[in-house]
Amino acid sequence: MGFSTDCIHAGQEPEPVTGAVTYPIFQTSTYVQPALGQHKGYEYARTQNPTRSVLEANLAALEGGKHAHCFASGMAAIDTVFRLLQSGDHVVAGENMYGGSFRLFDKVLRKFGLEFTYVDTSKPEALRAAMTPKTRIVYLETPTNPMMTLTDIAACSKIAHDGGALVVVDNTFCSPYLQRPIELGADVVVHSTTKFLNGHSDSVGGVVVSNSDEIAEKIGFLQNAVGAILSPMDSWLILRGVKTLAVRMRRHEENGVAMANYLANHSKTKKVYYPGLPDHPQHALAQKQMNGFGALISFELGSKENAAKLLNNVRLCSLGESLGGVETLISHPETMTHASVPIETRTRLGITPGLVRISVGIEDIEDLIADLENAFDAV
């Protein structure tokens, strides 16, 4: 079926007992077993929950995968993927990524003997040079957070697979509406479902999607063994959000392009990072790899003082962490999402004190631009 139809129907049938069109919240911790050694497919809610199972089937279909497992947060999902590894294994990761991912890798996983090399994955030759016989995972974000740099998933997947490594792609910025990494060669896709999939800033969660029965069996085992599961209520909220994913993403995309053009022509912005702009160095790759350019834009104002003046004077745009909600969110990566990244790394990557990131919502674009125009008057 088409993507919009899958958003509404994939993995979902009317609830069989009552015929409820919206799949219910099964808010239970356990299930009665009719006899010893017999059950109806559900034993304990950490292991299985009907609401979560329906969401997992839905998200697997949207990403073009066979299996999905949902977790209590995007970071729990990423952490679970890396539990597939063992001490001494090597990972090549993009040098620009969400600060929380870097914090997990550098401050937590390294203590368990995993080795990480960070490279500019927009250059396949840099990935090839970083591969070792111990490399087991190549970890990609594309576009990157917050510098909006793209990686050629197909090219990097070939390099990784030639070296015997799995490719894991964080697809949070795009959602499966804009990009489907499994179709481009990736083995595993992760999302913070908190963002575009949920879309309403009222749930925190994560998902791991794969096409491999072997990987899925291991992820399912870890999901149950570690227990960082998505709750029934959050599962229902994300199911509700996904139903409108296609229509929301079309409006996000429309507003994102308009906002990027506005910012690119504003006298007080020094540089705008958005793959939909013709001067973006990977604009052609974005046209090839993505079904649109998205709603995330970063722009440079030259100093922290200028950034603060803008951020302190917006009214319609909400200053806060996160992204992907129906409302426009604006943030300061240096002190918010990427505070855990060493300052020398931030500086080298361009995450400067004057950098601002905006997640463009689905409000009337004229109102969003007017809000920023008023805020720019203070800069």
Side-chain angles (χ1 to χ4, degrees), residues 252 255-256 259 295-297 325 328-329 358-363 365 368:
H252 279 299
N255 282 359
M259 179 64 75
L296 274 296
I297 307 165
T328 296
L329 292 166
I358 185 167
S359 171
V360 185
I362 65 172
E363 304 96 334
I365 189 62
L368 295 174

Side-chain angles (χ1 to χ4, degrees), residues 59-60 63-69 71 74 76-85 136-142 153 157 160-161 165-172 179-191 206-220 222:
L59 296 182
E63 274 292 0
K66 289 174 62 179
H67 310 280
H69 295 84
F71 294 87
I78 295 169
D79 178 67
T80 301
V81 171
F82 281 86
R83 290 176 186 264
L84 298 173
L85 304 182
R136 297 292 177 264
I137 283 180
V138 170
Y139 183 81
L140 308 173
E141 272 188 23
T142 179
I153 296 173
S157 293
H161 293 156
L166 297 174
V167 176
V168 180
V169 178
D170 185 338
N171 201 29
T172 298
Q179 183 171 267
R180 286 157 63 104
I182 289 174
E183 294 178 355
L184 298 169
D187 301 286
V188 176
V189 175
V190 295
H191 284 269
V207 67
V208 178
V209 182
S210 76
N211 240 344
S212 163
D213 296 342
E214 180 183 1
I215 292 173
E217 183 178 358
K218 293 176 180 178
I219 294 293
L222 290 164

